[in-house]
Amino acid sequence: MIEVQVAARRDEALDICSYELTSIDGQPLPPFAAGAHIDVHLPDGLIRQYSLCNHPEERHRYLIGVLKDPSSRGGSRSLHEQIQPGTRLLISEPRNLFALAPQARRSLLFAGGIGITPILCMAEHLAQSGAAFALHYCARSRERAAFVERLQQSPYADRVFLHFDEQPATALDAARVLASPCDDLHLYVCGPGGFMQHVLDTAKAQGWQEPNLHREYFAAAPTDTTADGSFSVKLARSGLVFEVPADRSVVQVLESHGVEVPISCEQGVCGTCLTRVLEGVPEHRDMFLTEAEQALNDQFTPCCSRSRTPLLVLDL
Ligand code: FES
């Protein structure tokens, strides 16, 4: 955990602020690569994840962009209302689940709304390394699009394409942009679920292959829960066994029996609830573990993940 202070807060667009975080003692912050995010521990006890959107070579600050989401369960509202320059915050070291593929020779970047934050960082890195790329940025309106000036004044402004819902003539023609998949062309998308689904579905329809598609969700992708059944969890230390019915999560069942598992996002994004699995095979529904980590089946996120086997034995 690192303690930082808010050095600056800036309005970037309607309902979007950026926060510049610097170290307390002036020492360089841990390095990060494009696509990385940090956990921010908020004053009300919540932990939220925010992508870093400054240039990845900078060590003197982290920059995050935060949308004041009307459906916020507290995180973004808390930042917008309580966090001012001078506020001290605890953050995690950067973690990257949305890294640029080193083998890509060309990249197509798609950002929807506040999804611009990791994409902006990627564009800065690609531009500096001389790589070929184009950035498509979709937003409801110009006033809701953050960092537009920074993009338009950047050395790569000619590779930035803005698409605003309020200007139908600028609409993104995803089928045209994605018409020519090839091995060394990689796609990166971040934004609201519907936007990401549209870009990814269009890419697949145009023949793109899964290894060339990279995405980062702000929330776990919607899951079809209609076929969910019940299963049991056993706590290895006490030997207690509890039934998890189809309509409740493991965390909810454990909590109702007085077993506390630390939680934050409750949707498989943050990893706060990560729990070791000693026996059984989890059905992973999180966006936190990488595919390789999930395939080991030795840990899972009990806030949202379930079980493929009748019993899971947990290291609790
Ligand atoms: Fe965030 Fe479970 S509480 S992944």
Side-chain angles (χ1 to χ4, degrees):
M1 205 97 80
I2 310 165
E3 191 177 23
V4 293
Q5 61 189 355
V6 177
R9 173 193 192 276
R10 198 170 301 116
D11 289 322
E12 299 287 355
L14 183 62
D15 288 339
I16 298 178
C17 286
S18 68
Y19 295 85
E20 184 178 322
L21 310 176
T22 56
S23 64
I24 305 289
D25 55 9
Q27 291 299 306
L29 291 163
F32 68 98
H37 70 266
I38 52 171
D39 293 344
V40 178
H41 295 246
L42 297 166
D44 48 13
L46 291 168
I47 304 170
R48 289 290 178 265
Q49 291 68 44
Y50 296 101
S51 297
L52 299 176
C53 59
N54 51 312
H55 194 291
E57 280 188 3
E58 290 183 349
R59 300 284 305 278
H60 67 289
R61 65 172 189 158
Y62 293 147
L63 190 69
I64 58 173
V66 181
L67 169 69
K68 186 176 181 182
D69 182 354
S71 59
S72 160
R73 291 170 305 135
S76 69
R77 213 174 39 232
S78 162
L79 263 165
H80 273 253
E81 291 169 3
Q82 299 177 27
I83 309 299
Q84 299 297 334
T87 305
R88 292 188 172 198
L89 293 169
L90 287 174
I91 62 170
S92 68
E93 294 213 0
R95 177 177 165 91
N96 201 341
L97 300 175
F98 191 40
L100 288 163
Q103 70 275 27
R105 306 233 359 238
R106 294 178 297 140
S107 304
L108 281 175
L109 311 179
F110 293 89
I114 192 63
I116 189 63
T117 49
I119 296 290
L120 186 54
C121 194
M122 289 176 161
E124 302 269 333
H125 173 82
L126 292 169
Q128 196 187 39
S129 58
F133 75 96
L135 191 172
H136 293 269
Y137 182 11
C138 301
R140 278 160 57 194
S141 63
R142 168 67 182 82
E143 66 172 355
R144 290 186 175 278
F147 306 113
V148 170
E149 260 176 44
R150 179 170 151 191
L151 288 166
Q152 288 178 328
Q153 289 169 7
S154 70
Y156 54 87
D158 59 334
R159 285 172 275 170
V160 176
F161 303 91
L162 301 172
H163 309 281
F164 299 130
D165 293 353
E166 64 178 6
Q167 298 171 18
T170 67
L172 170 66
D173 183 351
R176 184 185 60 76
V177 175
L178 295 166
S180 308
C182 67
D183 285 351
D184 65 3
L185 177 61
H186 283 240
L187 178 162
Y188 304 84
V189 60
C190 184
F195 165 78
M196 293 179 61
Q197 204 61 49
H198 171 62
V199 170
L200 292 168
D201 286 350
T202 307
K204 286 175 192 162
Q206 300 282 23
W208 286 66
Q209 299 299 307
E210 189 56 39
N212 293 49
L213 303 176
H214 311 268
R215 70 274 269 173
E216 178 147 273
Y217 291 93
F218 293 133
T223 309
D224 181 3
T225 57
T226 48
D228 281 357
S230 62
F231 58 96
S232 299
V233 288
K234 180 175 179 180
L235 310 189
R237 290 172 215 165
S238 61
L240 291 169
V241 178
F242 303 115
E243 163 104 354
V244 182
D247 60 347
R248 304 191 73 200
S249 70
V250 175
V251 161
Q252 287 169 338
V253 168
L254 294 181
E255 199 173 43
S256 68
H257 289 92
V259 181
E260 292 286 340
V261 176
I263 51 170
S264 172
C265 72
E266 294 180 74
Q267 46 187 334
V269 176
C270 72
T272 304
C273 67
L274 204 60
T275 300
R276 280 194 0 107
V277 175
L278 303 176
E279 279 175 45
V281 180
E283 183 185 324
H284 298 285
R285 292 191 178 170
D286 65 283
M287 314 305 301
F288 177 77
L289 296 169
T290 62
E291 274 180 29
E293 287 171 335
Q294 287 185 347
L296 294 174
N297 288 325
D298 59 353
Q299 50 186 347
F300 86 139
T301 53
C303 67
C304 62
S305 295
R306 301 189 67 79
S307 182
R308 293 188 187 283
T309 47
L311 178 72
L312 282 183
V313 181
L314 307 181
D315 187 15
L316 289 173

Coordinates of all heavy atoms in Angstrom, one line a residue, residues 50-131:
Y50 N -9.1 2.4 -10.6 CA -9.1 3.5 -11.6 C -7.9 3.3 -12.5 O -6.8 3.1 -12.0 CB -9.1 4.9 -10.9 CG -10.3 5.2 -10.1 CD1 -10.4 5.0 -8.8 CD2 -11.5 5.5 -10.8 CE1 -11.5 5.3 -8.1 CE2 -12.7 5.7 -10.1 CZ -12.7 5.6 -8.7 OH -13.9 5.8 -8.0
S51 N -8.1 3.4 -13.8 CA -7.0 3.3 -14.7 C -6.1 4.5 -14.6 O -6.6 5.6 -14.4 CB -7.5 3.2 -16.1 OG -8.3 2.0 -16.3
L52 N -4.8 4.3 -14.9 CA -3.9 5.4 -14.9 C -3.9 6.0 -16.3 O -3.8 5.3 -17.3 CB -2.5 5.0 -14.5 CG -2.4 4.4 -13.1 CD1 -1.0 3.8 -12.8 CD2 -2.8 5.4 -12.1
C53 N -4.0 7.3 -16.4 CA -4.1 7.9 -17.8 C -3.1 9.0 -18.1 O -3.2 9.7 -19.0 CB -5.5 8.5 -18.0 SG -6.0 9.8 -16.9
N54 N -2.0 9.0 -17.2 CA -0.9 9.9 -17.6 C 0.1 9.1 -18.4 O -0.1 7.8 -18.6 CB -0.2 10.5 -16.4 CG 0.2 9.5 -15.3 OD1 -0.7 8.7 -14.9 ND2 1.4 9.6 -14.8
H55 N 1.1 9.7 -18.9 CA 2.1 9.0 -19.7 C 2.8 8.0 -18.9 O 3.3 8.2 -17.8 CB 3.2 10.0 -20.3 CG 4.0 9.4 -21.3 ND1 4.9 8.4 -21.1 CD2 4.0 9.6 -22.7 CE1 5.5 8.1 -22.3 NE2 4.9 8.8 -23.2
P56 N 2.9 6.7 -19.4 CA 3.5 5.6 -18.6 C 4.9 5.8 -18.2 O 5.4 5.0 -17.3 CB 3.2 4.4 -19.4 CG 2.9 4.8 -20.8 CD 2.4 6.2 -20.7
E57 N 5.6 6.8 -18.7 CA 7.0 6.9 -18.3 C 7.1 7.9 -17.1 O 8.2 8.0 -16.5 CB 7.9 7.5 -19.5 CG 8.3 6.3 -20.4 CD 9.3 6.7 -21.4 OE1 9.7 7.9 -21.4 OE2 9.6 5.8 -22.2
E58 N 6.0 8.6 -16.8 CA 6.1 9.5 -15.6 C 6.2 8.7 -14.3 O 5.5 7.7 -14.1 CB 4.8 10.4 -15.6 CG 4.8 11.4 -16.8 CD 3.6 12.3 -16.7 OE1 2.7 12.1 -16.0 OE2 3.6 13.3 -17.5
R59 N 7.0 9.2 -13.4 CA 7.2 8.5 -12.1 C 6.8 9.5 -11.0 O 6.7 9.1 -9.8 CB 8.6 8.0 -11.9 CG 9.1 7.0 -12.9 CD 8.5 5.6 -12.7 NE 8.8 5.2 -11.3 CZ 9.9 4.6 -10.9 NH1 10.9 4.4 -11.8 NH2 10.0 4.2 -9.7
H60 N 6.6 10.8 -11.3 CA 6.3 11.7 -10.3 C 4.8 11.9 -9.9 O 4.5 12.6 -9.0 CB 6.9 13.1 -10.7 CG 6.1 13.7 -11.8 ND1 6.2 13.3 -13.1 CD2 5.2 14.8 -11.9 CE1 5.4 14.0 -13.9 NE2 4.8 14.9 -13.2
R61 N 4.0 11.2 -10.7 CA 2.5 11.3 -10.4 C 1.8 10.2 -11.1 O 2.3 9.5 -12.0 CB 2.0 12.6 -11.0 CG 2.1 12.7 -12.5 CD 1.4 13.9 -13.0 NE 1.3 13.8 -14.5 CZ 0.4 14.5 -15.2 NH1 -0.5 15.3 -14.7 NH2 0.3 14.3 -16.5
Y62 N 0.6 9.9 -10.5 CA -0.4 9.1 -11.2 C -1.6 10.0 -11.5 O -2.0 10.8 -10.7 CB -0.9 8.0 -10.3 CG 0.1 6.9 -10.0 CD1 0.0 6.3 -8.8 CD2 1.1 6.5 -10.9 CE1 0.9 5.3 -8.4 CE2 2.0 5.5 -10.6 CZ 1.9 4.9 -9.3 OH 2.8 3.9 -9.0
L63 N -2.2 9.9 -12.7 CA -3.4 10.6 -13.0 C -4.5 9.7 -13.2 O -4.4 8.7 -14.0 CB -3.1 11.4 -14.3 CG -4.2 12.5 -14.7 CD1 -4.2 13.7 -13.7 CD2 -4.0 13.0 -16.1
I64 N -5.7 9.9 -12.6 CA -6.9 9.1 -12.8 C -8.0 10.0 -13.2 O -8.1 11.2 -12.8 CB -7.2 8.3 -11.5 CG1 -7.5 9.2 -10.3 CG2 -6.2 7.2 -11.2 CD1 -8.1 8.5 -9.1
G65 N -8.9 9.4 -14.0 CA -10.1 10.2 -14.4 C -11.3 9.5 -13.8 O -11.4 8.2 -13.9
V66 N -12.2 10.2 -13.2 CA -13.3 9.6 -12.5 C -14.7 10.2 -12.9 O -14.9 11.4 -12.9 CB -13.2 9.9 -10.9 CG1 -14.4 9.2 -10.2 CG2 -11.9 9.3 -10.4
L67 N -15.5 9.3 -13.4 CA -16.9 9.7 -13.8 C -17.8 9.7 -12.6 O -17.8 8.7 -11.8 CB -17.4 8.8 -14.8 CG -18.9 8.9 -15.2 CD1 -19.2 10.2 -15.9 CD2 -19.4 7.7 -16.0
K68 N -18.6 10.8 -12.4 CA -19.6 10.8 -11.3 C -20.8 10.1 -11.9 O -21.5 10.6 -12.6 CB -19.9 12.2 -10.9 CG -20.8 12.3 -9.7 CD -21.0 13.8 -9.4 CE -21.9 14.0 -8.2 NZ -22.1 15.4 -7.9
D69 N -20.9 8.8 -11.5 CA -21.9 7.9 -12.0 C -23.1 8.1 -11.2 O -23.1 7.8 -10.0 CB -21.3 6.5 -12.0 CG -22.3 5.5 -12.6 OD1 -23.4 5.9 -12.9 OD2 -21.9 4.3 -12.7
P70 N -24.3 8.4 -11.8 CA -25.5 8.5 -11.0 C -25.9 7.2 -10.3 O -26.6 7.2 -9.3 CB -26.6 9.0 -12.0 CG -26.0 8.8 -13.4 CD -24.5 8.7 -13.2
S71 N -25.5 6.1 -10.9 CA -25.8 4.8 -10.3 C -24.7 4.3 -9.4 O -24.7 3.2 -9.0 CB -26.1 3.8 -11.4 OG -24.9 3.6 -12.2
S72 N -23.8 5.2 -9.1 CA -22.6 4.9 -8.2 C -23.1 4.3 -6.9 O -24.0 4.9 -6.3 CB -21.8 6.1 -8.0 OG -21.0 6.0 -6.9
R73 N -22.4 3.3 -6.4 CA -22.7 2.7 -5.1 C -21.9 3.4 -4.0 O -21.7 3.0 -3.0 CB -22.5 1.2 -5.1 CG -23.5 0.5 -5.9 CD -23.2 -1.0 -6.1 NE -21.8 -1.1 -6.6 CZ -20.9 -1.9 -6.2 NH1 -21.2 -2.7 -5.2 NH2 -19.7 -2.0 -6.7
G74 N -21.3 4.6 -4.4 CA -20.6 5.3 -3.4 C -19.2 5.8 -3.8 O -18.8 6.9 -3.5
G75 N -18.5 4.9 -4.6 CA -17.1 5.2 -4.9 C -16.9 6.5 -5.6 O -16.2 7.4 -5.1
S76 N -17.5 6.7 -6.8 CA -17.2 7.9 -7.6 C -17.8 9.1 -6.9 O -17.3 10.2 -7.0 CB -17.7 7.7 -9.0 OG -19.2 7.7 -9.0
R77 N -19.0 8.9 -6.2 CA -19.6 10.1 -5.6 C -18.7 10.5 -4.4 O -18.4 11.7 -4.2 CB -20.9 9.7 -5.0 CG -21.9 10.8 -5.0 CD -23.3 10.4 -4.6 NE -23.3 9.4 -3.5 CZ -24.0 8.3 -3.6 NH1 -24.7 8.0 -4.7 NH2 -24.0 7.4 -2.6
S78 N -18.1 9.6 -3.7 CA -17.2 9.9 -2.6 C -16.0 10.7 -3.1 O -15.6 11.7 -2.6 CB -16.8 8.6 -1.9 OG -15.6 8.8 -1.2
L79 N -15.4 10.3 -4.3 CA -14.3 11.0 -4.8 C -14.7 12.4 -5.2 O -14.0 13.4 -4.9 CB -13.7 10.2 -6.0 CG -12.5 9.3 -5.7 CD1 -12.3 8.4 -6.9 CD2 -11.3 10.2 -5.5
H80 N -15.8 12.5 -5.9 CA -16.2 13.8 -6.4 C -16.5 14.8 -5.3 O -16.2 16.0 -5.4 CB -17.4 13.7 -7.4 CG -17.0 13.4 -8.8 ND1 -17.1 14.4 -9.8 CD2 -16.5 12.3 -9.4 CE1 -16.6 13.8 -10.9 NE2 -16.3 12.6 -10.7
E81 N -17.1 14.3 -4.2 CA -17.6 15.2 -3.2 C -16.6 15.4 -2.1 O -16.6 16.5 -1.4 CB -18.9 14.6 -2.6 CG -20.0 14.7 -3.6 CD -21.3 14.0 -3.2 OE1 -21.3 13.4 -2.1 OE2 -22.2 13.9 -4.0
Q82 N -15.7 14.4 -1.8 CA -14.9 14.6 -0.6 C -13.4 14.8 -0.9 O -12.7 15.2 0.0 CB -15.0 13.3 0.3 CG -16.4 13.0 0.8 CD -16.5 11.7 1.5 OE1 -15.5 11.3 2.1 NE2 -17.6 11.0 1.5
I83 N -13.0 14.5 -2.1 CA -11.5 14.5 -2.3 C -11.1 15.8 -2.9 O -11.5 16.1 -4.0 CB -11.1 13.3 -3.2 CG1 -11.7 12.0 -2.6 CG2 -9.6 13.2 -3.3 CD1 -11.3 11.6 -1.2
Q84 N -10.3 16.5 -2.2 CA -9.8 17.8 -2.7 C -8.3 17.8 -2.7 O -7.6 16.9 -2.0 CB -10.3 18.9 -1.8 CG -11.8 19.0 -1.8 CD -12.4 19.4 -3.1 OE1 -11.8 20.0 -4.0 NE2 -13.7 19.0 -3.3
P85 N -7.6 18.8 -3.3 CA -6.2 18.9 -3.2 C -5.7 18.9 -1.8 O -6.4 19.6 -0.9 CB -5.9 20.2 -3.9 CG -6.9 20.3 -5.0 CD -8.2 19.7 -4.3
G86 N -4.7 18.1 -1.5 CA -4.2 18.0 -0.1 C -4.7 16.8 0.6 O -4.1 16.3 1.5
T87 N -5.8 16.2 0.1 CA -6.3 14.9 0.7 C -5.3 13.8 0.6 O -4.7 13.7 -0.5 CB -7.6 14.5 0.1 OG1 -8.5 15.5 0.1 CG2 -8.2 13.3 0.8
R88 N -5.1 13.0 1.6 CA -4.2 11.9 1.5 C -5.0 10.6 1.3 O -6.1 10.5 1.9 CB -3.3 11.8 2.8 CG -2.3 12.9 2.9 CD -1.3 12.6 4.0 NE -0.3 13.7 4.0 CZ 0.9 13.5 4.6 NH1 1.1 12.4 5.3 NH2 1.8 14.5 4.5
L89 N -4.5 9.7 0.5 CA -5.2 8.5 0.1 C -4.3 7.3 0.2 O -3.1 7.5 -0.1 CB -5.8 8.6 -1.3 CG -7.0 9.6 -1.5 CD1 -7.2 9.7 -3.0 CD2 -8.2 9.2 -0.8
L90 N -4.8 6.2 0.4 CA -4.0 5.0 0.3 C -4.3 4.3 -1.1 O -5.5 4.2 -1.4 CB -4.3 4.0 1.4 CG -3.7 4.3 2.8 CD1 -4.2 3.4 3.8 CD2 -2.2 4.4 2.7
I91 N -3.3 3.9 -1.8 CA -3.5 3.3 -3.1 C -2.7 2.0 -3.1 O -1.7 1.8 -2.4 CB -3.2 4.2 -4.3 CG1 -1.7 4.5 -4.2 CG2 -4.1 5.4 -4.3 CD1 -1.2 5.2 -5.5
S92 N -3.0 1.1 -4.1 CA -2.2 -0.1 -4.3 C -1.1 0.3 -5.3 O -1.2 1.3 -6.0 CB -3.1 -1.2 -4.8 OG -3.5 -0.9 -6.2
E93 N -0.2 -0.6 -5.5 CA 0.7 -0.5 -6.6 C 0.0 -0.8 -7.9 O -1.1 -1.5 -7.8 CB 1.8 -1.6 -6.4 CG 2.7 -1.3 -5.2 CD 4.2 -1.7 -5.5 OE1 4.5 -2.2 -6.6 OE2 5.0 -1.5 -4.5
P94 N 0.4 -0.2 -9.0 CA -0.3 -0.5 -10.2 C -0.4 -2.0 -10.6 O 0.6 -2.7 -10.3 CB 0.5 0.3 -11.3 CG 1.3 1.3 -10.5 CD 1.6 0.7 -9.2
R95 N -1.5 -2.4 -11.1 CA -1.7 -3.8 -11.6 C -2.2 -3.7 -13.0 O -3.0 -2.8 -13.3 CB -2.7 -4.5 -10.7 CG -3.0 -5.9 -11.1 CD -4.0 -6.5 -10.0 NE -4.6 -7.7 -10.5 CZ -4.2 -8.9 -10.4 NH1 -3.0 -9.2 -9.8 NH2 -4.8 -10.0 -10.9
N96 N -1.8 -4.6 -13.9 CA -2.1 -4.4 -15.3 C -2.8 -5.7 -15.8 O -2.2 -6.7 -15.9 CB -0.9 -4.1 -16.1 CG -1.3 -3.5 -17.5 OD1 -2.5 -3.6 -17.9 ND2 -0.4 -2.8 -18.1
L97 N -4.1 -5.6 -16.1 CA -4.9 -6.7 -16.7 C -5.2 -6.3 -18.1 O -6.1 -7.0 -18.7 CB -6.1 -7.0 -15.9 CG -5.9 -7.4 -14.5 CD1 -7.3 -7.5 -13.7 CD2 -5.1 -8.7 -14.4
F98 N -4.7 -5.2 -18.6 CA -5.1 -4.7 -19.9 C -3.9 -4.2 -20.7 O -3.8 -3.1 -21.2 CB -6.1 -3.6 -19.7 CG -6.8 -3.1 -20.9 CD1 -7.3 -3.9 -21.9 CD2 -7.1 -1.7 -21.0 CE1 -8.0 -3.4 -23.0 CE2 -7.8 -1.2 -22.1 CZ -8.3 -2.1 -23.1
A99 N -2.8 -5.1 -20.7 CA -1.6 -4.6 -21.3 C -1.6 -4.7 -22.8 O -2.3 -5.5 -23.4 CB -0.5 -5.6 -20.7
L100 N -0.8 -3.9 -23.4 CA -0.6 -3.9 -24.8 C 0.2 -5.2 -25.2 O 1.1 -5.6 -24.5 CB 0.3 -2.7 -25.3 CG -0.5 -1.3 -25.3 CD1 0.5 -0.2 -25.3 CD2 -1.5 -1.2 -26.4
A101 N -0.2 -5.8 -26.3 CA 0.4 -7.1 -26.7 C 1.8 -6.7 -27.4 O 1.8 -5.9 -28.3 CB -0.5 -7.8 -27.7
P102 N 2.9 -7.2 -26.9 CA 4.2 -6.8 -27.4 C 4.3 -7.2 -28.9 O 5.1 -6.5 -29.6 CB 5.2 -7.6 -26.5 CG 4.4 -8.6 -25.8 CD 3.0 -8.2 -25.8
Q103 N 3.6 -8.2 -29.3 CA 3.8 -8.7 -30.7 C 3.0 -7.9 -31.7 O 3.2 -8.1 -32.9 CB 3.5 -10.2 -30.8 CG 2.0 -10.5 -30.7 CD 1.5 -10.7 -29.3 OE1 2.1 -10.1 -28.3 NE2 0.5 -11.5 -29.1
A104 N 2.1 -7.0 -31.2 CA 1.3 -6.2 -32.2 C 2.1 -5.2 -33.0 O 2.9 -4.5 -32.4 CB 0.2 -5.5 -31.4
R105 N 1.9 -5.2 -34.3 CA 2.6 -4.2 -35.1 C 1.7 -3.0 -35.3 O 2.2 -1.9 -35.6 CB 3.1 -4.8 -36.4 CG 3.9 -6.0 -36.2 CD 5.2 -6.2 -36.9 NE 5.7 -5.1 -37.7 CZ 6.0 -5.2 -39.0 NH1 5.8 -6.4 -39.6 NH2 6.4 -4.2 -39.7
R106 N 0.4 -3.2 -35.3 CA -0.5 -2.1 -35.4 C -1.6 -2.3 -34.4 O -2.0 -3.4 -34.0 CB -1.1 -2.1 -36.8 CG -0.1 -1.8 -37.9 CD -0.7 -1.8 -39.3 NE -1.2 -3.2 -39.6 CZ -2.3 -3.5 -40.2 NH1 -3.1 -2.5 -40.6 NH2 -2.7 -4.7 -40.4
S107 N -2.3 -1.2 -33.9 CA -3.3 -1.3 -32.9 C -4.5 -0.4 -33.2 O -4.3 0.7 -33.8 CB -2.7 -0.8 -31.6 OG -1.6 -1.6 -31.2
L108 N -5.7 -0.9 -32.9 CA -6.9 -0.1 -33.0 C -7.4 0.1 -31.6 O -7.7 -0.9 -30.9 CB -7.9 -0.8 -33.9 CG -7.8 -0.7 -35.4 CD1 -8.8 -1.5 -36.1 CD2 -7.9 0.8 -35.8
L109 N -7.5 1.3 -31.1 CA -8.0 1.6 -29.8 C -9.4 2.1 -29.8 O -9.7 3.1 -30.6 CB -7.1 2.6 -29.1 CG -5.6 2.4 -29.2 CD1 -4.8 3.6 -28.6 CD2 -5.2 1.1 -28.6
F110 N -10.3 1.6 -29.0 CA -11.7 2.1 -28.9 C -12.0 2.4 -27.5 O -11.9 1.6 -26.6 CB -12.7 1.0 -29.4 CG -12.5 0.6 -30.8 CD1 -11.7 -0.4 -31.3 CD2 -13.3 1.3 -31.8 CE1 -11.5 -0.7 -32.6 CE2 -13.2 1.0 -33.1 CZ -12.3 0.0 -33.5
A111 N -12.4 3.7 -27.3 CA -12.8 4.1 -26.0 C -14.3 4.6 -26.0 O -14.7 5.3 -26.9 CB -11.9 5.3 -25.5
G112 N -15.0 4.2 -25.0 CA -16.4 4.7 -24.9 C -16.5 5.5 -23.5 O -16.2 4.9 -22.5
G113 N -16.8 6.8 -23.6 CA -17.0 7.5 -22.4 C -15.7 7.5 -21.5 O -14.6 7.8 -22.0
I114 N -15.9 7.2 -20.2 CA -14.8 7.3 -19.3 C -13.8 6.2 -19.6 O -12.7 6.2 -19.1 CB -15.3 7.2 -17.8 CG1 -14.2 7.5 -16.8 CG2 -15.9 5.8 -17.5 CD1 -13.7 8.9 -16.9
G115 N -14.1 5.2 -20.5 CA -13.2 4.2 -20.9 C -12.0 4.8 -21.6 O -11.0 4.1 -22.0
I116 N -12.0 6.1 -21.9 CA -10.8 6.8 -22.5 C -9.6 6.7 -21.6 O -8.4 6.8 -22.1 CB -11.1 8.3 -22.8 CG1 -10.0 8.9 -23.6 CG2 -11.4 9.0 -21.5 CD1 -9.8 8.3 -25.0
T117 N -9.7 6.5 -20.3 CA -8.6 6.6 -19.4 C -7.4 5.6 -19.7 O -6.3 6.1 -20.0 CB -9.0 6.6 -17.9 OG1 -9.8 5.5 -17.7 CG2 -9.7 7.9 -17.5
P118 N -7.7 4.3 -19.7 CA -6.5 3.4 -20.1 C -6.1 3.6 -21.6 O -4.9 3.4 -21.9 CB -7.1 2.0 -19.8 CG -8.5 2.1 -19.9 CD -8.9 3.5 -19.5
I119 N -7.1 3.9 -22.4 CA -6.8 4.0 -23.8 C -5.9 5.2 -24.1 O -5.0 5.1 -25.0 CB -8.2 4.1 -24.6 CG1 -9.0 2.9 -24.4 CG2 -8.0 4.5 -26.1 CD1 -8.5 1.6 -25.1
L120 N -6.1 6.3 -23.4 CA -5.3 7.5 -23.5 C -3.8 7.1 -23.2 O -2.9 7.5 -23.9 CB -5.8 8.5 -22.6 CG -5.2 9.9 -22.6 CD1 -5.3 10.5 -23.9 CD2 -6.0 10.8 -21.6
C121 N -3.6 6.4 -22.2 CA -2.3 6.0 -21.8 C -1.6 5.1 -22.9 O -0.5 5.2 -23.2 CB -2.4 5.2 -20.5 SG -1.0 4.9 -19.6
M122 N -2.5 4.2 -23.4 CA -2.0 3.4 -24.5 C -1.5 4.2 -25.7 O -0.5 4.0 -26.3 CB -3.0 2.4 -25.0 CG -3.3 1.3 -23.9 SD -4.7 0.2 -24.5 CE -4.4 -1.2 -23.4
A123 N -2.4 5.2 -26.1 CA -2.1 6.0 -27.2 C -0.8 6.8 -27.0 O 0.1 6.9 -27.9 CB -3.2 7.0 -27.4
E124 N -0.5 7.3 -25.8 CA 0.7 8.0 -25.5 C 1.9 7.1 -25.7 O 2.9 7.5 -26.3 CB 0.7 8.5 -24.0 CG -0.5 9.4 -23.7 CD -0.2 10.9 -23.9 OE1 1.0 11.2 -23.8 OE2 -1.1 11.7 -24.1
H125 N 1.8 5.9 -25.2 CA 2.9 4.9 -25.3 C 3.1 4.6 -26.8 O 4.3 4.6 -27.2 CB 2.6 3.7 -24.5 CG 3.6 2.6 -24.7 ND1 4.8 2.6 -24.0 CD2 3.6 1.5 -25.5 CE1 5.5 1.5 -24.4 NE2 4.8 0.9 -25.3
L126 N 2.1 4.2 -27.5 CA 2.2 3.8 -28.9 C 2.8 5.0 -29.7 O 3.7 4.7 -30.6 CB 0.9 3.4 -29.5 CG 0.3 2.1 -28.9 CD1 -1.1 1.9 -29.3 CD2 1.2 0.9 -29.3
A127 N 2.3 6.2 -29.4 CA 2.8 7.3 -30.2 C 4.3 7.5 -30.0 O 5.1 7.7 -30.9 CB 2.1 8.6 -29.8
Q128 N 4.7 7.4 -28.7 CA 6.1 7.6 -28.4 C 7.0 6.6 -28.9 O 8.2 6.8 -29.3 CB 6.3 7.7 -26.9 CG 7.7 8.4 -26.6 CD 8.0 8.3 -25.1 OE1 7.8 7.4 -24.4 NE2 8.6 9.4 -24.7
S129 N 6.5 5.3 -29.0 CA 7.3 4.2 -29.5 C 7.3 4.2 -31.1 O 7.9 3.3 -31.6 CB 6.9 2.9 -28.9 OG 5.6 2.7 -29.2
G130 N 6.5 5.0 -31.7 CA 6.5 5.1 -33.1 C 5.6 4.0 -33.8 O 5.7 3.7 -35.0
A131 N 4.8 3.4 -33.0 CA 3.9 2.3 -33.5 C 2.7 2.9 -34.2 O 2.3 4.0 -34.0 CB 3.4 1.4 -32.3

